[in-house]
Amino acid sequence: MRVDLRSDTVTVPTEKMRKAMYEAEVGDDVFGEDPTVNRLQELAAEICGREAALFVPSGTMANQVCVRVQAPRGSEVILEEESHIFLHEVGGLAALAQVQTRLLKGVKGIIQPRDLIPLFRPSGDIHAPRTSLVCIEQTSMMAGGTIYPLETIKEICDLTHERGARVHMDGARLFNAAVASGISPRDFAQPVDSLMFCLSKGLGCPVGSMIVGDKDFIEEARVARKLYGGGMRQAGVLAACGIVALTEMVDRLAEDHEKARIIAEAIEGSPIVDPEWNRPQTNIIIFPLKEPRAGELVQKLAQRGVLCLDLDDRRIRMVTHKDVSFEEVRFAAEVLGELLH
Ligand code: TLP
């Protein structure tokens, strides 16, 4: 058996998606003339209760476009120290938006409003960069898919807006957070200035992310998307999958969370795992080892057919998704249990 738990990005399009791709009505989306892209964008905006949305090729481009539009060159962007935008986007903040970063450590990846307040630069100081943007990540990937509580998001947005800055949500796994918490994507999307979510992770699309926000912001984002080479032509073949994802693939994410709990049980009580590890709230399991042996363990798991990733020399990540069955997950849990106990 081969169980691929490296990421939910390994998911492949469903039959329905392939059929939808085949049948999609298309046009030139740079001219705004692809009816399927337009439908997907309207659907995404509606689900999030916001004015408009934009289809982009990847989550990375979505984040980078949102930062570019909202953070002027030379301004300062505040991020959690293990956020995807900071750690895993190839230095795009420096290379593309040309902004400076200010990092803080969250609690299980979640930025605490009280810790954020002292980081805003004082206005009127000629020496200081302007704080333009705060980025939050829903769910917080490197903390093990933890959920930003809605109250925390509201507090962060209020205090950031009071200080003249904006908030961007990297909602790559927004729907995992929504399904696990019972809070609607609309509620999560209300307080922030910009939001992106991915179609190509747990929702199973081959390509694509959505940027969501007010009309004026989305118009600016469309220009930045073109600048970054993300203006696509007959993208309706891809957008068609997005429509299937948003209408049919959201509720089933609960299964992925159940699968994560099965794996978590195999880790529980292991003498070689740090007992303080964050138990999974969604579909991501990250557990730290007491000794720096993550690479070795990942190799041993791979030899037994269980694929996962080492994030550094101590931390191992497993991500559950639609293309691993409960049977495969139970097999992975068994193998993991044997190696950990
Ligand atoms: N995350 C990938 C890798 O890049 C690490 C993964 O396997 O988890 N925001 C968050 C929180 C993400 O986890 C990711 C992808 C992205 C943005 C970027 O999305 P893509 O891969 O579409 O550029």
Side-chain angles (χ1 to χ4, degrees):
M1 208 180 273
R2 180 181 183 273
V3 189
D4 193 348
L5 298 168
R6 288 172 302 163
S7 182
D8 45 8
T9 59
V10 303
T11 45
V12 298
T14 61
E15 284 284 316
K16 271 210 171 159
M17 285 178 182
R18 289 191 179 266
K19 193 157 180 288
M21 289 172 95
Y22 182 74
E23 289 170 354
E25 234 190 301
V26 295
D28 189 330
D29 181 49
V30 172
F31 292 131
E33 289 173 1
D34 189 299
T36 311
V37 171
N38 291 341
R39 261 176 49 222
L40 171 63
Q41 291 175 167
E42 282 159 23
L43 180 62
E46 191 195 311
I47 289 171
C48 294
R50 301 296 297 255
E51 286 175 5
L54 186 71
F55 184 47
V56 294
S58 70
T60 300
M61 189 185 286
N63 281 331
Q64 293 300 325
V65 161
C66 289
V67 174
R68 166 92 188 190
V69 170
Q70 299 181 104
R73 192 153 57 119
S75 67
E76 195 162 77
V77 175
I78 302 176
L79 308 112
E80 209 279 335
E81 64 180 19
E82 290 205 306
S83 59
H84 194 277
I85 300 180
F86 176 68
L87 274 191
H88 297 120
E89 299 191 4
V90 208
L93 294 182
L96 302 173
Q98 300 176 24
V99 292
Q100 170 167 307
T101 53
R102 187 101 194 247
L103 302 177
L104 78 162
K105 191 172 173 51
V107 174
K108 295 187 180 178
I110 309 299
I111 293 175
Q112 300 301 301
R114 62 170 183 276
D115 299 332
L116 181 59
I117 294 170
L119 301 190
F120 287 88
R121 299 289 190 160
S123 59
D125 180 349
I126 198 169
H127 307 91
R130 202 184 117 201
T131 305
S132 55
L133 191 68
V134 175
C135 296
I136 59 179
E137 194 172 296
Q138 182 73 302
T139 62
S140 286
M141 190 269 282
M142 290 291 282
T146 48
I147 301 172
Y148 254 94
L150 183 56
E151 280 316 307
T152 308
I153 296 173
K154 284 182 182 163
E155 251 184 88
I156 288 175
C157 289
D158 285 347
L159 72 90
T160 302
H161 292 151
E162 278 162 22
R163 289 161 177 78
R166 296 164 74 101
V167 177
H168 168 65
M169 183 192 281
D170 170 349
R173 296 183 179 84
L174 172 70
F175 290 93
N176 293 89
V179 166
S181 65
I183 293 167
S184 69
R186 178 179 282 253
D187 285 340
F188 281 131
Q190 283 323 292
V192 299
D193 299 282
S194 64
L195 159 74
M196 79 80 160
F197 65 79
C198 292
L199 297 165
S200 62
K201 300 199 161 54
L203 298 181
C205 288
V207 175
S209 287
M210 304 304 300
I211 297 175
V212 183
D214 295 342
K215 250 194 186 126
D216 291 349
F217 163 73
I218 292 295
E219 275 319 304
E220 289 298 312
R222 187 183 302 281
V223 176
R225 180 186 69 172
K226 191 78 178 78
L227 171 68
Y228 288 174
M232 297 179 283
R233 302 297 177 173
Q234 287 71 32
V237 287
L238 301 173
C241 297
I243 294 171
V244 176
L246 292 179
T247 50
E248 299 192 10
M249 302 296 286
V250 172
D251 293 343
R252 64 147 310 285
L253 293 172
E255 274 182 26
D256 299 345
H257 305 160
E258 180 56 34
K259 290 170 189 163
R261 286 192 285 273
I262 294 173
I263 290 174
E265 276 169 29
I267 301 166
E268 212 58 74
S270 161
I272 63 167
V273 173
D274 179 345
E276 296 301 308
W277 70 290
N278 296 342
R279 273 59 177 178
Q281 299 177 7
T282 53
N283 68 326
I284 301 177
I285 305 115
I286 293 179
F287 57 96
L289 302 174
K290 288 179 184 164
E291 304 291 329
R293 290 177 45 204
E296 177 198 321
L297 192 60
V298 165
Q299 262 185 7
K300 280 189 182 157
L301 284 159
Q303 281 159 8
R304 306 274 305 268
V306 179
L307 306 186
C308 57
L309 296 178
D310 46 327
L311 300 177
D312 48 38
D313 60 4
R314 278 176 204 266
R315 284 182 296 177
I316 294 180
R317 184 183 87 160
M318 296 182 160
V319 185
T320 56
H321 53 80
K322 76 174 182 64
D323 291 341
V324 288
S325 65
F326 275 99
E327 192 196 341
E328 288 167 333
V329 165
R330 279 190 281 270
F331 168 78
E334 207 180 293
V335 172
L336 184 64
E338 280 173 30
L339 293 174
L340 289 182
H341 289 273

